[in-house]
Amino acid sequence: MKYTDISRSIEVKNLNQLTLLEFAFVHINGRKVNEIKDGILFSVIPVVLREIGHAKENIYSDNFLPVSAVFTVLDQLGFCYSRNDMEPYEHSNASGIKKALYYFCDFSPNDEDSKALVALRNSFLHTASCLSKAMYDSQPNYNFSFDKNSDVLIRHPDVKWNGDFESLSEDMWTYINPIILIKLAEAAVEEALNCLYKGVLQVSCEGGGKELRHRFLKFQPK
């Protein structure tokens, strides 16, 4: 399966004739506009990736906005897709972010980096902060800081924070390189598309493409 083959295939089809994998192709192929016979399909993912690219170059939006959008991309990938050439993710109800990191970013299931990224996403979503205090004793606590000069995605502290604010110090911070994180999300989309071309991408959405279409694609008729 090649890009040109799928692109030509959808151009001569009406919306109700597209297959599940053709909807997936539109979702992740990186083009903002996809012309089909009876209209135009817009995908959320390339729009988000373009906005990440814009936001990361603006001094007033180069921290919170692009990183927040990265998690949107990863969540969509993990929600929609898996691979038939890998063992299924061990927990079927795990977050889309953890699944995307496993299937498309070479992370181990539920490893320390995955836990940290999900915690960062949750802290952004709930309080717009870089701090994540665990709800249960078995969960890790994090105080995140961005380090764009780091040569790794995540630098974990030697001393883990136990959730006590009285004891929190700089040597317990977890450092994230947002530039590497953005590149990770972009590479994950490319890997999902490569999996589609290789025939190993599995689409998890329900309804033979209808859920994928209604959740993440917008149709503009001619």
Side-chain angles (χ1 to χ4, degrees):
M1 187 180 296
K2 298 179 181 178
Y3 170 86
T4 53
D5 295 335
I6 307 175
S7 182
R8 289 170 182 167
S9 174
I10 68 173
E11 286 177 355
V12 298
K13 290 184 177 181
N14 292 322
L15 181 64
N16 60 8
Q17 296 174 312
L18 296 181
T19 67
L20 181 61
L21 287 180
E22 286 170 339
F23 279 123
F25 169 77
V26 171
H27 184 215
I28 59 178
N29 75 11
R31 293 175 58 188
K32 184 177 179 180
V33 175
N34 298 268
E35 292 189 14
I36 60 176
K37 187 176 180 179
D38 57 348
I40 297 174
L41 276 174
F42 299 87
S43 169
V44 172
I45 281 184
V47 172
V48 172
L49 289 178
R50 281 169 174 78
E51 292 191 3
I52 289 173
H54 175 76
K56 72 180 182 181
E57 299 300 331
N58 191 321
I59 192 172
Y60 295 110
S61 63
D62 65 344
N63 288 309
F64 183 87
L65 290 179
V67 171
S68 299
V70 159
F71 294 123
T72 298
V73 172
L74 293 175
D75 223 349
Q76 282 191 38
L77 291 179
F79 179 85
C80 295
Y81 307 112
S82 60
R83 298 172 58 159
N84 60 27
D85 62 341
M86 294 177 63
E87 289 293 321
Y89 194 86
E90 57 187 9
H91 300 298
S92 60
N93 294 325
S95 70
I97 294 171
K98 286 186 178 181
K99 290 179 179 179
L101 293 171
Y102 170 68
Y103 286 119
F104 306 114
C105 303
D106 294 325
F107 281 46
S108 298
N110 204 35
D111 61 9
E112 292 303 311
D113 284 356
S114 298
K115 291 177 182 177
L117 290 177
V118 171
L120 176 62
R121 179 262 184 188
N122 291 342
S123 70
F124 269 28
L125 178 66
H126 296 303
T127 61
S129 76
C130 285
L131 187 141
S132 175
K133 191 175 185 303
M135 295 180 62
Y136 306 102
D137 292 340
S138 60
Q139 296 175 324
N141 302 278
Y142 299 96
N143 189 37
F144 295 103
S145 181
F146 286 166
D147 181 1
K148 295 180 180 180
N149 296 315
S150 175
D151 57 358
V152 295
L153 172 62
I154 303 176
R155 192 165 77 249
H156 295 275
D158 293 329
V159 180
K160 293 184 178 181
W161 179 40
N162 63 6
D164 179 5
F165 287 100
E166 292 292 336
S167 66
L168 180 57
S169 58
E170 189 171 337
D171 62 350
M172 299 176 185
W173 292 5
T174 300
Y175 289 91
I176 306 284
N177 186 325
I179 298 173
I180 296 177
L181 182 58
I182 290 169
K183 292 179 179 178
L184 180 79
E186 294 170 340
V189 176
E190 291 183 9
E191 179 61 18
L193 190 59
N194 288 334
C195 289
L196 187 152
Y197 295 149
K198 292 187 292 186
V200 300
L201 188 73
Q202 290 186 306
V203 186
S204 307
C205 293
E206 301 174 357
K210 288 185 174 61
E211 181 180 9
L212 179 56
R213 168 194 160 189
H214 290 297
R215 277 188 184 273
F216 304 120
L217 304 178
K218 303 301 178 186
F219 176 62
Q220 179 179 309
K222 288 184 178 178

